[in-house]
Amino acid sequence: QVKLAESGGGLVRPGGSLRLSCEAQGSIFRIDEMAWYRQAPGKERELVATIDENDTAVYGDSVKGRFTIFRDNRKSTVDLQMSSLQAEDTAVYYCYIRPGYGSRYYGYDYWGQGTQVTISS
């Protein structure tokens, strides 16, 4: 059974930094894609950043140059380092993984429960 354990959310002042972490638990063996999404009140869930097993990363336009996604394949973790945070970054942030071919969980997508990030003075 796959479980995504997220941590690191909280309240930060504008201009501040925060790091989110997510550990994929459950003997997954191989993960193709690891990502962070976010959903603000009244808005649709949107991609923040995604990274594949070759460490190729893609960022949403609104976070480019401010956020960095990291992945540790040995630990099955994906972190999101967020800097120059703005009020518009306030949202629930969700961890996402897509197991790769060879994993017993191949063909399924998994989401974390979400962690709240609030940017406010």
Side-chain angles (χ1 to χ4, degrees):
Q1 186 175 0
V2 174
K3 179 182 178 183
L4 301 185
E6 300 158 327
S7 62
L11 173 64
V12 180
R13 294 182 182 274
S17 299
L18 199 62
R19 188 176 182 108
L20 305 181
S21 296
C22 174
E23 179 185 10
Q25 302 168 347
S27 299
I28 302 169
F29 173 65
R30 182 181 177 185
I31 302 174
D32 277 351
E33 181 183 1
M34 306 185 84
W36 286 94
Y37 285 75
R38 68 185 182 187
Q39 187 166 19
K43 295 187 177 181
E44 294 185 353
R45 190 172 298 190
E46 65 173 355
L47 174 69
V48 177
T50 182
I51 185 167
D52 67 15
E53 61 179 354
N54 296 314
D55 279 342
T56 299
V58 175
Y59 295 90
D61 288 341
S62 62
V63 306
K64 285 180 181 177
R66 299 189 298 122
F67 291 12
T68 305
I69 190 168
F70 300 92
R71 148 175 202 160
D72 186 328
N73 291 327
R74 290 182 303 168
K75 297 180 181 179
S76 297
T77 59
V78 58
D79 287 8
L80 184 69
Q81 178 64 47
M82 305 184 291
S83 302
S84 301
L85 286 162
Q86 307 163 359
E88 294 74 25
D89 296 314
T90 295
V92 177
Y93 284 69
Y94 296 91
C95 179
Y96 163 89
I97 68 163
R98 178 166 55 83
Y101 183 77
S103 170
R104 70 177 69 181
Y105 305 108
Y106 177 67
Y108 297 92
D109 298 335
Y110 294 90
W111 294 88
Q113 293 188 331
T115 183
Q116 177 70 45
V117 172
T118 302
I119 313 304
S120 176
S121 56

